[in-house]
Amino acid sequence: MDRRPGVAYRRPDGDPTQFTVEAAGESRLNTDALPQTDWLRVVEPDDRDRLRDALDGDAVDVTYRLTVDGESAWVHERGARDESGDIVGYLFSADDRVERRKQLEQQRERLEEFASVVSHDLRNPLSVAVGNIELAREFDGEEVDERLDRAHDALDWMDDLISDVLALAREGRSVEETATTDLRSVVDQAWRTVGAPEGVVLAVDEPLPPVECDRSRLRQALENLFRNAIEHGTPETLSVDPVEQNAGRSTDNIDPETFGGGISESGIVDFESAADSDPLLRVFVGRLPNGFYVADDGTGIDPSERDAVFDPGHSTERDGTGFGLSIVERIAEAHGWEVSVTESRTGGARFEFTGVDLVDAEETDTVGTVPSE
C-alpha cells in the first residue's frame, strides 16, 4: 500500500504546544527533529498567533514557518477536532504540497489525453469500420472483400492506438526497481525485436556503459526510437516487417557477441564499417558523458517540430499513432533522466538521454546477462 504524503499527527486538546507524531508518511520533514512538546518554540514568532487562531476552531488549515536545527521551511497543517477534543491531521512540507499538486496535475493531463483518444481518435476508425461493414452487405464479389479489408485496417489501427495508450499509462509510473544493466545487450535485443527491413543497419559506438535502469522499460524506449527512425528516417517508405519483428522476438536470448564485428544477419555493423557502407538508413547508438544517444542519418526533424515531437498524439505520418515518442519521454522521466531531440552530425535526428546513472564497468562483473523471458 502506498504511504500517504505528509506527517500524521495528534494535538491533545488542540494544544498548540503539543505535537505527537502518529505516522511518518512520504515527506521531506525530518520527524525525529520535530519537538513533541513546546511546539511553538520552533514556529516563527510572526506566525504563532495565526497557528493559535487556527487551532481554536474545529477545522485546521494553516500555513506557517518552522525553524528546526537552524533550517527554516514553510509547512502546511491540515486537521480536524475529533470526539475527544484532540486535533488530528497531517503536516506537510510546502515542497511536498507543491510536488503533490504537480502529480495531480500530471494525472489530470493524462486523463484528458485518454479522454481525447476515446472521444476522437478511436471514434474515427470505429466509424470507418462500421461504415464499410454496412456497405459490404450491399455488394458482391471483390467489392465485399475491399470493404472488409478497409474495415480490418481500421480495426488494426484501433488496436495499435489502444496498445500505445495503455503503454503510455503504464510508463507514467515511477520506476520501483532498477539494476545495473549492460546497455549494449539491451540495444541489441531491441534492434532484433524491431526487425529492421533490408538496407537499414545499426552502428554502435563501443564501448557502451552499464547503466542503472529498469531493463524492460529501457528496451521499450529503444524499440520505439528504432521504429521511429525506420518510419521517418528516409524519403522512401520503410516499414517494419511484422514477420521479421515476430521472428526477432525468438532470438532474445542470443549472446550479443554473436553479432560482433562487420555486418550481421540482424543488420548490426561496427561503427567503423558504418562510415564506409551505403545502406538506405544508418541508426547510431553511442555514449555521452552523462548518458547515451540514439541517432540516424535520415531526413531529420524540422526545427519547428522538435518542441512537439514528445506531445501525445503528435505525428507527421498519416498512419502514425503519435504516442511512440511520448512513451520514450515517460520512460526517461520515470528513471529521472532527461531526453531531448536535436540534429545528428549527418543531418538526421538525434535523441540524447542525459542525467543517466552510468556505472563503471570495473565495479561489476555481472552485467550483460540476458534474462529469459
Side-chain angles (χ1 to χ4, degrees):
M1 180 180 294
D2 294 338
R3 300 174 68 192
R4 295 192 62 177
V7 177
Y9 73 87
R10 176 180 295 273
R11 290 189 185 274
D13 299 323
D15 187 343
T17 67
Q18 304 298 310
F19 188 90
T20 302
V21 175
E22 301 270 293
E26 299 292 343
S27 176
R28 293 178 175 83
L29 296 173
N30 180 6
T31 55
D32 294 334
L34 297 176
Q36 304 294 302
T37 60
D38 198 13
W39 180 262
L40 291 176
R41 174 178 56 83
V42 297
V43 178
E44 189 73 18
D46 292 343
D47 298 339
R48 290 172 185 172
D49 287 342
R50 184 164 67 254
L51 176 58
R52 290 190 187 97
D53 292 342
L55 294 173
D56 282 342
D58 292 331
V60 179
D61 189 349
V62 61
T63 302
Y64 56 93
R65 289 164 292 179
L66 289 181
T67 300
V68 181
D69 293 337
E71 295 186 2
S72 296
W74 282 94
V75 295
H76 186 182
E77 181 174 337
R78 298 192 66 179
R81 195 176 299 274
D82 65 11
E83 295 178 355
S84 68
D86 294 350
I87 295 290
V88 294
Y90 279 86
L91 183 74
F92 305 90
S93 163
D95 290 339
D96 291 339
R97 301 295 297 177
V98 171
E99 184 64 27
R100 182 65 172 169
R101 188 177 297 110
K102 289 181 179 178
Q103 292 175 357
L104 291 174
E105 289 175 353
Q106 290 175 350
Q107 291 174 2
R108 187 184 70 249
E109 290 173 358
R110 287 168 188 162
L111 286 174
E112 290 175 351
E113 293 169 4
F114 302 152
S116 173
V117 169
V118 172
S119 65
H120 180 268
D121 295 347
L122 283 177
R123 184 176 296 169
N124 288 344
L126 180 60
S127 298
V128 171
V130 171
N132 278 284
I133 290 173
E134 290 178 349
L135 287 172
R137 294 172 177 167
E138 303 176 4
F139 296 120
D140 296 317
E142 294 182 357
E143 290 182 330
V144 173
D145 293 336
E146 180 183 352
R147 293 297 175 178
L148 292 177
D149 286 343
R150 291 183 183 180
H152 188 272
D153 290 342
L155 294 174
D156 281 344
W157 163 260
M158 291 176 64
D159 182 61
D160 290 342
L161 197 57
I162 291 170
S163 297
D164 282 351
V165 170
L166 291 176
L168 194 66
R170 288 193 299 267
E171 303 314 333
R173 300 175 302 182
S174 61
V175 170
E176 297 179 356
E177 293 186 9
T178 63
T180 300
T181 303
D182 177 23
L183 179 56
R184 175 60 196 264
S185 69
V186 183
V187 168
D188 288 348
Q189 277 189 337
W191 185 256
R192 293 195 298 273
T193 300
V194 166
E198 185 176 355
V200 178
V201 299
L202 172 70
V204 179
D205 190 6
E206 295 280 21
L208 294 181
V211 298
E212 188 72 17
C213 69
D214 180 320
R215 182 188 187 99
S216 64
R217 297 176 73 181
L218 173 57
R219 174 176 168 181
Q220 183 180 8
L222 292 171
E223 290 174 5
N224 284 4
L225 287 175
F226 292 157
R227 290 191 182 100
N228 185 75
I230 293 169
E231 292 170 1
H232 301 274
T234 65
E236 297 84 2
T237 300
L238 290 176
S239 62
V240 175
D241 186 336
V243 176
E244 289 293 329
Q245 180 176 345
N246 292 333
R249 295 187 185 278
S250 66
T251 66
D252 285 348
N253 293 323
I254 295 178
D255 188 332
E257 294 301 320
T258 303
F259 304 111
I263 186 167
S264 72
E265 294 181 359
S266 311
I268 302 177
V269 302
D270 57 54
F271 210 72
E272 291 75 14
S273 299
D276 299 329
S277 61
D278 188 26
L280 291 175
L281 179 72
R282 289 171 292 191
V283 180
F284 305 92
V285 178
R287 177 172 184 160
L288 295 173
N290 61 340
F292 59 93
Y293 68 86
V294 176
D296 62 63
D297 62 354
T299 56
I301 299 174
D302 190 277
S304 64
E305 296 283 338
R306 290 175 190 167
D307 289 340
V309 294
F310 296 112
D311 292 344
H314 176 83
S315 178
T316 58
E317 296 292 326
R318 182 176 61 84
D319 296 331
T321 66
F323 285 93
L325 294 181
S326 297
I327 294 171
V328 171
E329 184 180 48
R330 294 282 169 86
I331 293 173
E333 290 176 347
H335 282 86
W337 307 340
E338 292 186 6
V339 58
S340 59
V341 60
T342 185
E343 183 177 343
S344 70
R345 295 178 181 177
T346 54
R350 176 180 169 111
F351 294 86
E352 297 184 346
F353 293 80
T354 55
V356 180
D357 187 6
L358 305 182
V359 181
D360 188 341
E362 296 180 357
E363 294 180 3
T364 175
D365 57 3
T366 61
V367 297
T369 303
V370 180
S372 300
E373 298 184 4

